[in-house]
Amino acid sequence: MIGGVLLDHVNHFILMGISMLVTTASLYLTPFCKTAELLIGMMPVFGASIGVLDTGGNVLILALWGDKSPPHMQALHFSFALGAFLAPLLAKLALGPTVSADNHTEPDFLSAALNASSEAASDPLLAAPHDMNLLWAYASIGTYILIVSLLFFALFCMKSSRQGKSKASAQQSRRAQYHKALLCLLFLFFFFYVGAEVTYGSYIFSFATTHVGMDEREAAGLNSIFWGTFAACRGLAIFFAACLRPATMIVLSNVGSLASCLFLVLFDSSPLCLWIATSVYGASMATTFPSGVSWIEQYTTISGKSAAFFVIGASLGDMAIPAVIGVLQGQYPDLPVLMYTCLGSAIFTAILFPVMYKVATWPLNHQRK
């Protein structure tokens, strides 16, 4: 919400650079936190800076490229998918193998416990972690973000923002007659889409092990293939967006999501169907969000506040739907609640998009008649 207001009054490059500096500072300080209270205080700062980046990235792409933004929007969200796929792997490599408890003798354990109890009262709020690999994992990602933030400040110094401002000002006259209704519908669309995406990625491992009977290695592979096809199709969408309209890509994504979710509900206990449908579902979900942002820009200009509004809808779906499904799946362990939820979300988004399209194009069709 704060980022949406600031984007309408502050230079985009400056705001993005400052947000990434705050993100860098949060990453640098996190491994030094020695108390839970300090870490709890650090996380909202980190979350706020990420929220500004989520909103600002979409607004900046639209401001710079306007009607030619679909491939660039797909590239932006592909970088998110690629980073979400690679960062945990890189962090795991940086942490290295964990030390087994068998390597510690009982006197060593007792002496460590005694030292910890004697120093508990005098522990500082900030101190270097015992595992330096943990520090390097955070510091490496933080340094990467720091470099990118400096590039944003360099773009501002080069006065590149003038071109973005001129394009944005040239598009101010394009405003849909039902602008607010269109944003509310997109809010609901992203609420269910992102909620289903995160819910499936979060619970498919548990579903495969408890409901289907897969071992943990197969279930982990199922989770990986979902996010792997998700990232791969976002990469391919960069090229498809140059020749396909955003509405066409949304319709194809909705059809793929409906078909895969229907198979997941009908054959929820079949491992083979689970592998195939998960792959199709991940591929189908990949292009929906960036295509939705590019689609609405064709009919109405997206300001910082407007972008913040539908990003909040996506964030609420990310937060609420997995929490509710976790409770329901625990109460009804014999039912595939996860699959029912994904199918319901796919049906809702498939119905909602034609309504959005009608609201966006109705004044144009009326004028033509």
Side-chain angles (χ1 to χ4, degrees), residues 250-262:
I250 293 176
V251 170
L252 292 175
S253 298
N254 288 340
V255 171
S257 298
L258 272 174
S260 56
C261 288
L262 184 60

Side-chain angles (χ1 to χ4, degrees), residues 1 32 49 53 73 84 97 136 158 192 230 232 252 268-269 277-278 287 293 315 325 345 353:
M1 294 170 62
F32 288 94
S49 62
L53 292 175
M73 187 67 68
W136 288 114
M158 295 169 58
F192 285 96
F230 184 86
L252 292 175
D268 58 285
S269 299
T278 297
T287 63
V293 178
S315 301
I325 298 310
S345 298
F353 181 69

